[in-house]
């Protein structure tokens, strides 16, 4: 079964990030699984506390926190390095202001499987 590591960064926008994560958690999928790797990227508000409280029982969400804002590129590299331990076939970097359709990832996986030169 294919696995997808979904990287999402948050910085001082927990409610926006929650909307994104909640839409991802509604993804319909067959023949693949996914894990959300959420990084609170040095927020100076209560983001980490809010996100921890919201997702602490959600097995599909792995939450990380840094003491300083690593920036977009370094923050995503931080998450990708953590996600590598789960050995996913695919990585997806997703901004925290995106609401996804439930079938978007299934369509990407299907396309990738039928067009291996684009993997």
């Amino acid at each position: 079964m294919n696995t997808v590591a979904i990287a999402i960064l948050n910085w001082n926008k927990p409610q926006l990030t929650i909307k994104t994560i909640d839409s991802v958690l509604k993804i319909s999928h067959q023949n693949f699984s996914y894990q959300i790797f959420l990084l609170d990227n040095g927020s100076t508000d209560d983001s980490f506390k809010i996100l921890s409280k919201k997702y602490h029982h959600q097995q599909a969400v792995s939450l990380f926190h840094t003491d300083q804002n690593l920036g977009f590129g370094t923050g995503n590299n931080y998450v990708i390095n953590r996600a590598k331990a789960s050995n996913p076939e695919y990585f997806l970097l997703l901004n925290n202001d995106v609401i996804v359709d439930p079938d978007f990832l299934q369509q990407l996986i299907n396309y990738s499987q039928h067009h291996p030169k684009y993997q």
Side-chain angles (χ1 to χ4, degrees):
M1 178 179 285
N2 290 315
T3 58
V4 182
I6 303 172
I8 301 173
L9 303 184
N10 173 74
W11 186 71
N12 293 331
K13 301 281 187 202
Q15 297 309 320
L16 187 65
T17 303
I18 286 169
K19 288 178 184 178
T20 297
I21 293 171
D22 287 350
S23 76
V24 171
L25 290 172
K26 294 176 184 171
I27 289 175
S28 57
H29 53 96
Q30 297 175 352
N31 302 321
F32 76 90
S33 62
Y34 65 89
Q35 181 73 26
I36 299 168
F37 292 86
L38 171 61
L39 173 64
D40 181 59
N41 198 10
S43 292
T44 56
D45 62 4
D46 288 332
S47 287
F48 185 69
K49 181 179 175 182
I50 292 166
L51 295 168
S52 294
K53 184 176 180 181
K54 172 83 174 162
Y55 297 111
H56 74 282
H57 287 304
Q58 182 57 253
Q59 290 183 353
V61 179
S62 297
L63 179 60
F64 303 93
H65 177 265
T66 58
D67 292 331
Q68 62 180 347
N69 187 328
L70 302 176
F72 183 77
T74 303
N76 276 305
N77 285 334
Y78 178 98
V79 174
I80 289 168
N81 286 329
R82 296 315 173 275
K84 283 181 181 178
S86 65
N87 200 28
E89 282 79 20
Y90 303 100
F91 290 93
L92 174 67
L93 306 182
L94 194 62
N95 286 348
N96 71 328
D97 61 352
V98 174
I99 305 300
V100 300
D101 285 336
D103 66 339
F104 95 100
L105 195 50
Q106 185 67 60
Q107 290 180 25
L108 288 174
I109 296 293
N110 291 346
Y111 187 86
S112 177
Q113 290 174 339
H114 290 96
H115 300 90
K117 71 179 184 177
Y118 295 112
Q119 291 185 7

